[in-house]
Amino acid sequence: MMSASLSTGHQAHAVLEANDLYRFYHAGEDETFALRGVSLSVAPGEILAVVGPSGSGKSTLLGCLAGLDEPDGGSVTVAGARVTRRPEAERAGLRARWIGVLQQSGNLLDHLSVANNIRAAQTLVRSADRAEASVPSLLADVGLTGRAHARPATLSGGETARAGLAVALANDPPLLLADEPTGEVDEFNEQLILELFRRRAGSGRAVVIVTHSTHAAMEATRIVHLDDGRIVDA
């Protein structure tokens, strides 16, 4: 059984620690670096915004932090458990319990209702290891109480983003990673999502958002600027 706990003191206490991350891709004989030695730490109660131009490495960084992608160098630790250099099955188990991931697409299973998408995420974690997060309360949090039985194909862009967020929070993870969480929503829904992030941080959770939205970034506790795979200002 894999377990992790949150401890105290900044480095040991951090919910997320990423150290010297490198990621490169080959295209023929060309080698392209997506990440060049990126290090960051996120403490309980922090909202960290990662900003930068398109192609700067933001989504690659988020994938490595989530354990969806394996960096070519460096390490990632979440809630005291090392995510990197593990088989995919182990990374998936850690991700299900400790990391909520909101991607720009692919968060929902098309054949399931919104409520059943949340329940499906909860089945990935043993009940003894899962914090209580009721489906009705999650739907209420994201303003989708009336859409519990809707299939993803019938949702608007804003509803899809909010449903994906409810799935990401299904197991009450200590870390939430969100890729452009307000990119497809109107101003009202943007405020709803950002308020939910603030409440997560207020309860001692950590939130990392990749965003092009100035408004969303200004809600963060701290902003990290990424350019050409490097942190250029923090």
Side-chain angles (χ1 to χ4, degrees):
M1 171 184 168
M2 291 175 293
S3 63
S5 60
L6 302 180
S7 50
T8 63
H10 183 64
Q11 290 281 336
H13 277 16
V15 178
L16 170 67
E17 284 281 353
N19 295 301
D20 210 22
L21 296 181
Y22 282 85
R23 187 73 175 99
F24 58 84
Y25 301 97
H26 287 103
E29 295 184 358
D30 295 329
E31 186 175 81
T32 301
F33 277 85
L35 297 177
R36 304 168 184 261
V38 173
S39 296
L40 56 83
S41 174
V42 186
E46 269 198 303
I47 301 175
L48 175 70
V50 180
V51 302
S54 296
S56 61
K58 300 187 303 297
S59 292
T60 299
L61 174 61
L62 203 75
C64 290
L65 297 180
L68 293 167
D69 191 15
E70 185 75 82
D72 295 293
S75 63
V76 175
T77 301
V78 175
R82 178 175 49 80
V83 176
T84 44
R85 307 296 180 264
R86 288 183 181 271
E88 167 54 26
E90 291 186 14
R91 296 204 309 270
L94 287 169
R95 189 164 53 246
R97 176 62 191 93
W98 301 105
I99 309 170
V101 185
L102 176 61
Q103 302 180 85
Q104 293 187 56
S105 62
N107 287 277
L108 303 173
L109 299 173
D110 291 339
H111 65 286
L112 296 179
S113 67
V114 173
N116 283 339
N117 264 280
I118 297 171
R119 294 186 182 100
Q122 291 179 330
T123 64
L124 298 175
V125 177
R126 296 189 323 168
S127 58
D129 298 331
R130 186 174 67 237
E132 290 298 323
S134 75
V135 173
S137 67
L138 283 166
L139 290 171
D141 283 344
V142 297
L144 289 176
T145 297
R147 302 291 274 156
H149 303 296
R151 297 291 180 88
T154 68
L155 301 177
S156 68
E159 288 173 336
T160 299
R162 287 181 283 138
L165 180 56
V167 171
L169 299 177
N171 296 311
D172 192 23
L175 174 65
L176 174 64
L177 303 174
D179 193 357
E180 296 291 354
T182 62
E184 297 293 328
V185 302
D186 58 22
E187 184 176 350
F188 174 83
N189 285 304
E190 180 179 47
Q191 282 303 315
L192 187 152
I193 290 171
L194 294 176
E195 173 59 26
L196 187 53
F197 289 169
R198 288 190 290 267
R199 285 163 48 198
R200 297 291 298 175
S203 67
R205 309 306 195 270
V207 179
V208 177
I209 60 174
V210 163
T211 184
H212 282 102
S213 167
T214 301
H215 189 193
M218 292 304 293
E219 294 290 336
T221 313
R222 186 160 49 98
I223 300 174
V224 165
H225 296 265
L226 203 64
D227 192 17
D228 195 25
R230 296 185 176 92
I231 293 178
V232 295
D233 181 40

